[in-house]
Amino acid sequence: MNLSELHPAPGSRRPRKRRGRGPGSGLGVTAGRGEKGQKSRSGYSRKRGFEGGQMPLIRRVPKRGFHNRNRKEFAVLNVSRLEELDGAEFTPESLLASGAVSALRDGLKILGNGEISRAVTVTAHKFSATAREKIERAGGSVVVAGAGKAGAQS
């Protein structure tokens, strides 16, 4: 077999439809657009979310409050969960690999719910004040991950 002998399977390649090129093409006159109506006219383009004059869904659904489009969503983990996991050093990547967090999103934040009794080194993008205090009281240390993904510490 040569490369010059290769061909598509019979029937797999069809010529494109030439719309509006007379009755012999099978798509003359209306060119497959139907008879009347907005969609049959030239220049028609439907706007995103347009529902034919009916009140669009986005306007029908009630909305309340402020929705920040630039919101950062952090994966959260409590110090009680760190106590359950074995190891002395925790990074966002190691916690993701161990299944302690399902997705890192915009970064990892350690919260202070629960207690920790052993010294651990925790690297995360953010720490709550109680989490930082509990880890340091147990003899551990906190390391704020770089401002690459999540931004400044708070």
Side-chain angles (χ1 to χ4, degrees):
M1 174 176 273
N2 296 327
L3 286 176
S4 61
E5 294 173 359
L6 291 175
H7 296 289
S12 67
R13 304 277 294 180
R14 300 181 66 194
R16 71 180 179 86
K17 290 184 176 184
R18 298 186 66 226
R19 296 169 185 272
R21 295 294 182 271
S25 70
L27 287 169
V29 187
T30 57
R33 288 173 172 253
E35 290 288 324
K36 300 178 192 171
Q38 192 176 17
K39 284 164 70 172
S40 71
R41 313 294 187 203
S42 69
Y44 166 76
S45 65
R46 182 186 299 138
K47 300 290 184 280
R48 187 172 38 134
F50 183 67
E51 297 183 20
Q54 171 178 296
M55 185 61 69
L57 178 69
I58 193 67
R59 291 183 63 192
R60 291 197 304 263
V61 175
K63 289 166 265 306
R64 292 207 47 191
F66 175 74
H67 301 285
N68 186 358
R69 298 171 117 176
N70 303 317
R71 174 175 171 240
K72 300 262 187 266
E73 192 170 335
F74 287 88
V76 294
L77 197 71
N78 283 302
V79 291
S80 59
R81 186 75 174 104
L82 292 174
E83 177 73 23
E84 295 167 9
L85 297 168
D86 50 334
E89 228 174 282
F90 298 106
T91 63
E93 292 76 24
S94 70
L95 291 166
L96 183 66
S98 69
V101 290
S102 57
L104 286 178
R105 297 185 179 91
D106 291 318
L108 174 68
K109 182 167 183 173
I110 306 297
L111 302 179
N113 191 8
E115 291 298 323
I116 189 160
S117 59
R118 59 193 170 93
V120 291
T121 303
V122 185
T123 303
H125 298 93
K126 288 190 172 198
F127 292 88
S128 71
T130 53
R132 181 185 292 268
E133 186 239 319
K134 286 179 181 181
I135 292 168
E136 289 173 347
R137 190 173 354 116
S141 61
V142 298
V143 180
V144 178
K149 216 177 177 192
Q153 159 70 25
S154 68

